[in-house]
């Protein structure tokens, strides 16, 4: 056994991946390609066949998988799955680093960090911001939060998965950013389908509609940045200057979208939700403010009476 085999560097340190859905498989292959020995475990063992053929080692139990590496990456449906899998392997967690890249709420993430510490393990939260086929590419980025010392220690090992963007010590921060990004993403997807359905009623095929709509989504960032050198600075200052676009103007557009969607017989859930934000701002006397004033309705929504 040579010197490097006896004392593996961070560049070739062992990693365990638990959860072999498309994302877990993609992460396993990215780590293998970077030269890391990877041990894997999955509830359905057959899902490991492909990555085992690529060089991963299949553990027979979660405990064996955890004990194989100091760094354990979890790619699961939610955080409850972590407990379901590791509750019988808690004796193996001491001294390990758990990097949970599963989706859940920030509060559950914080509770998981406390749970891990109770078993003498350290915890790092992550949110992968690309689909499985893009993991390990230059387009891949992952938000992390938790111990900065742990992030620094394992950053090189995690690097093959994507560019790391460390947000701070709070274990819930990465999950919060992940959910915030997905709030934009999922709302945009729904909007794209609503718009495609609208155009479809006029005889336009999706192959004609989507290229135009996607081209417009590419410009939204530039539109939001227009007139403000630092996007969000006015919001942080509590300022909503209405020199470019007002709540009243944007609200009128939302009214038109609701009217058109109603006439076309489309589902109104999305356009009514958008309209409600503008109507609330107008009702509160902010019609002349910038459209960003709708954040008030998001921060303090009206709660229906239970009487």
């Amino acid at each position: 056994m040579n010197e490097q085999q006896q004392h593996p560097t961070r560049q070739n340190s062992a990693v365990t991946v638990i959860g072999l859905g498309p994302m877990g498989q993609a992460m396993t292959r990215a780590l293998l390609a970077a030269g890391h020995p990877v041990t894997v475990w999955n509830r359905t063992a057959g899902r490991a066949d492909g990555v085992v053929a690529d060089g991963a080692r299949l553990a027979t139990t979660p405990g064996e998988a955890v004990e194989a590496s100091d760094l354990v990456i979890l790619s699961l449906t939610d955080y409850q799955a972590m407990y379901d899998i590791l509750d019988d392997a808690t004796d193996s967690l001491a001294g390990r680093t758990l990097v949970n890249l599963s989706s859940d709420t920030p509060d559950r993430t914080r509770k998981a960090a406390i749970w891990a510490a109770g078993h003498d393990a350290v915890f790092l939260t992550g949110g992968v911001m690309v689909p499985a086929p893009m993991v390990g590419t230059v387009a891949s980025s992952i938000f992390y939060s938790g111990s900065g010392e742990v992030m620094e220690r394992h950053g090189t090992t995690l690097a093959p998965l994507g560019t790391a963007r460390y947000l701070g010590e709070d274990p819930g921060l990465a999950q919060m950013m992940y959910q915030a990004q997905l709030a934009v993403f999922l709302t945009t997807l729904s909007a794209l389908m609503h718009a495609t359905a609208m155009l479809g009623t006029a005889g336009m095929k999706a192959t004609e509609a989507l290229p135009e709509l996607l081209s417009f989504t590419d410009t939204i960032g530039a539109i939001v940045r227009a007139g403000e050198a630092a996007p969000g600075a006015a919001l942080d200052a509590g300022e909503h200057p209405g020199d470019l676009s007002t709540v009243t103007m944007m609200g009128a557009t939302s009214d038109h979208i609701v009217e058109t969607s109603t006439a076309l017989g489309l589902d109104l859930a999305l356009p009514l939700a958008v309209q409600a934000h503008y109507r609330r701002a107008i009702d509160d006397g902010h019609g002349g403010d910038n459209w960003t004033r709708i954040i008030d309705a998001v921060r303090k929504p009206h709660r229906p009476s239970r009487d």
Side-chain angles (χ1 to χ4, degrees):
M1 184 178 291
N2 62 33
E3 180 80 14
Q4 190 177 42
Q5 289 173 318
Q6 289 178 317
H7 304 286
T9 66
R10 293 177 186 176
Q11 282 78 15
N12 71 346
S13 56
V15 184
T16 288
V17 176
I18 294 178
L20 293 174
M23 187 66 73
Q25 292 181 36
M27 290 191 289
T28 298
R29 289 191 171 97
L31 291 165
L32 288 170
H36 294 281
V38 182
T39 298
V40 297
W41 185 88
N42 193 71
R43 284 172 172 170
T44 304
R47 285 192 177 179
D49 291 347
V51 294
V52 168
D54 290 336
R57 185 181 75 84
L58 178 63
T60 57
T61 66
E64 181 187 340
V66 169
E67 291 169 6
S69 315
D70 289 336
L71 182 66
V72 180
I73 297 173
L74 299 127
S75 179
L76 304 166
T77 303
D78 52 27
Y79 272 49
Q80 183 57 48
M82 177 184 71
Y83 301 128
D84 293 343
I85 291 168
L86 296 183
D87 268 347
D88 291 333
T90 52
D91 289 345
S92 301
L93 295 179
R96 314 287 174 185
T97 296
L98 302 181
V99 181
N100 198 325
L101 301 181
S102 313
S103 174
D104 216 308
T105 68
D107 283 346
R108 291 195 186 103
T109 300
R110 295 182 181 108
K111 290 176 182 177
I114 295 170
W115 174 84
H119 295 292
D120 297 320
V122 290
F123 197 82
L124 203 62
T125 305
V128 184
M129 300 315 304
V130 294
M134 296 175 68
V135 168
T137 71
V138 294
S140 180
S141 65
I142 303 176
F143 291 106
Y144 293 99
S145 66
S147 167
E149 184 274 329
V150 169
M151 184 73 240
E152 183 175 355
R153 175 154 40 101
H154 292 292
T156 300
T157 303
L158 294 169
L161 305 182
T163 301
R165 303 178 69 179
Y166 177 68
L167 299 179
E169 296 280 336
D170 176 2
L173 274 176
Q175 196 69 254
M176 189 80 78
M177 179 61 81
Y178 178 71
Q179 300 295 342
Q181 297 258 351
L182 286 182
V184 174
F185 180 61
L186 293 179
T187 306
T188 301
L189 294 185
S190 291
L192 284 169
M193 292 302 96
H194 189 93
T196 301
M198 288 178 72
L199 292 169
T201 66
M204 185 176 289
K205 294 182 180 297
T207 51
E208 300 172 284
L210 272 174
E212 293 293 335
L213 295 169
L214 289 170
S215 178
F216 178 65
T217 63
D218 292 340
T219 70
I220 291 175
I223 292 171
V224 173
R225 292 185 184 93
E228 188 172 16
L235 264 175
D236 286 339
E239 300 171 354
H240 305 275
D243 52 318
L244 293 177
S245 56
T246 66
V247 167
T248 298
M249 181 185 77
M250 301 287 268
T253 300
S254 74
D255 290 342
H256 300 154
I257 294 169
V258 170
E259 291 170 13
T260 300
S261 298
T262 301
L264 297 175
L266 302 179
D267 180 76
L268 299 179
L270 183 62
L272 283 176
V274 173
Q275 183 190 57
H277 289 156
Y278 289 99
R279 288 197 169 181
R280 166 82 181 277
I282 291 170
D283 290 345
D284 288 345
H286 300 303
D289 288 355
N290 188 55
W291 67 269
T292 53
R293 177 60 77 172
I294 66 172
I295 197 171
D296 292 352
V298 177
R299 287 172 170 162
K300 295 182 178 179
H302 284 309
R303 301 297 185 189
S305 174
R306 294 182 179 271
D307 296 338

